[in-house]
Amino acid sequence: MPHQLWTQSYGKSRVRIAKVDRDADVHQYTELSVDVELDGDFDAAYTQGDNSLVLPTDTMKNTVYAFARELDPCELETFAWTLGSHFVENFDHVSHAAIKITQTPWQRLVIDGEPHPHAFSGSSTERQTCHAVITAPTKDGEDPEGAIECGLEGLTLLKTTDSGFSKFLKDEYTTLPETDDRIFATTLTAKWVYNDTPDDWRGIRDRIRAILIREFAARFSPSVQATLFEMAAAVLDAEPAVEEINLAMPNLHRHLINLSPFDLDNPNVLFLPTDEPHGNITASVCRERPEEAHAHDHG
Ligand SMILES: O=c1[nH]c(=O)c2[nH]c(=O)[nH]c2[nH]1
């Protein structure tokens, strides 16, 4: 049977680094995991065992180390862009470099009310993310082009009331009772793209996170779907540089435990926390695009 290589990509995953900025007495600590993936003219490595154009993934790892020493890696977007540009600018056969960075946050310890200069706690599940794809220029002398998607994942949020779910579609399999008072728990993943380079990558990241959290708590939620849309829309309203935002909000159910066999009531106080199975609610919200707007208009 004749066959051909259809797609390929290769790279180094989970290159982990921790960097201490010790220029001042108060240390800064940054911990990242970087994935590098290259695309380009690598077919011969698969089809002919020819490694002459294969940059070792070990070299990619070393490049991450060297760049992390010389640059400020905690500005994720600039670090990803510089790293990706290095590969497409230095190797003609590399057409795209995808750089994915995940930052694990560490919070400075506060001891007796005083921020500690060099001790941190790392218990949060939250991660900051950045995914940059840098494309080689088509003409000599031009700069590489690229797309950057920023985000966060693992931001766990819960509210004990101000959430309900009612007036939903029912059929012969529906057993879910309607409620106007339930627990709303989720682990948020957000990804967004900018229409312009923001003045302050870290500042806008912090503001977007604060808006998402504020809107989650702000008012009664008639469904995960409606709250997700409000959270995303609030980011677009407040931050003109954000073009589109995608939110994934699993509905991590807290089921009311039936205590009636024990002659006990349960007025929304005792719940069974569970994450399997969970509702899976996700949507992208963008600035109005007239042509596409009709795609969703079934009326
Ligand atoms: O906010 C919700 N959206 C749903 O689509 C859904 N489905 C479900 O069983 N519970 C919920 N809650």
Side-chain angles (χ1 to χ4, degrees):
M1 281 283 275
H3 39 238
Q4 70 185 97
L5 183 69
W6 191 241
T7 62
Q8 78 77 40
S9 88
Y10 84 108
K12 199 70 147 187
S13 292
R14 295 195 52 78
V15 180
R16 295 184 61 182
I17 46 167
K19 186 169 188 184
V20 179
D21 176 351
R22 46 177 68 244
D23 288 348
D25 288 344
V26 176
H27 288 179
Q28 308 297 329
Y29 181 75
T30 309
E31 200 172 302
L32 306 179
S33 174
V34 182
D35 295 350
V36 178
E37 201 177 279
L38 301 184
D39 197 357
D41 184 8
F42 297 109
D43 289 16
Y46 296 86
T47 59
Q48 291 162 44
D50 175 354
N51 290 336
S52 56
L53 290 180
V54 178
L55 185 74
T57 67
D58 189 65
T59 307
M60 298 177 196
K61 175 204 70 184
N62 292 342
T63 311
V64 173
Y65 292 164
F67 276 49
R69 173 70 180 100
E70 287 182 3
L71 301 171
D72 175 7
C74 71
E75 193 169 280
L76 306 185
E77 295 83 1
T78 314
F79 187 51
W81 184 277
T82 314
L83 203 52
S85 302
H86 163 82
F87 293 111
V88 299
E89 283 174 337
N90 285 283
F91 303 105
D92 285 346
H93 63 294
V94 175
S95 60
H96 299 83
I99 310 292
K100 219 170 172 172
I101 305 182
T102 306
Q103 179 177 15
T104 311
W106 287 80
Q107 274 90 35
R108 190 175 298 285
L109 286 185
V110 177
I111 313 246
D112 296 333
E114 288 295 314
H116 197 282
H118 57 254
F120 298 82
S121 125
S123 52
S124 169
T125 58
E126 189 180 342
R127 307 278 182 263
Q128 303 298 314
T129 59
C130 171
H131 187 179
V133 179
I134 316 296
T135 305
T138 40
K139 292 195 199 113
D140 279 352
E142 286 186 350
D143 288 333
E145 298 199 343
I148 297 192
E149 184 187 76
C150 301
L152 58 85
E153 61 189 34
L155 175 58
T156 299
L157 301 169
L158 179 148
K159 56 182 183 175
T160 53
T161 189
D162 249 358
S163 164
F165 187 60
S166 59
K167 301 194 178 77
F168 42 81
L169 183 63
K170 299 177 187 77
D171 70 4
E172 68 270 38
Y173 301 113
T174 304
T175 58
L176 187 74
E178 301 200 354
T179 179
D180 61 3
D181 190 7
R182 64 174 183 174
I183 291 180
F184 183 169
T186 191
T187 299
L188 176 68
T189 301
K191 297 174 197 160
W192 60 86
V193 291
Y194 296 111
N195 48 36
D196 206 355
T197 305
D199 295 339
D200 175 2
W201 291 100
R202 260 181 284 175
I204 193 167
R205 217 174 233 290
D206 290 346
R207 294 200 301 274
I208 291 170
R209 181 182 184 279
I211 294 165
L212 291 168
I213 291 172
R214 187 191 66 212
E215 290 298 309
F216 171 78
R219 63 193 71 81
F220 180 79
S221 164
S223 65
V224 176
Q225 286 90 330
T227 298
L228 180 155
F229 186 80
E230 282 181 352
M231 290 164 67
V235 170
L236 295 176
D237 284 346
E239 298 294 344
V242 177
E243 183 59 24
E244 180 171 335
I245 179 162
N246 175 279
L247 299 183
M249 294 177 62
N251 189 5
L252 304 176
H253 307 292
R254 299 304 187 249
H255 297 299
L256 199 65
I257 294 176
N258 178 13
L259 297 176
S260 61
F262 322 117
D263 275 342
L264 293 169
D265 67 352
N266 189 2
N268 263 0
V269 290
L270 200 68
F271 297 85
L272 175 69
T274 175
D275 50 15
E276 290 179 352
H278 60 251
N280 193 14
I281 318 289
T282 170
S284 290
V285 182
C286 62
R287 299 192 178 279
E288 202 159 18
R289 297 173 185 159
E291 309 92 81
E292 276 114 307
H294 295 292
H296 300 287
D297 181 4
H298 303 290

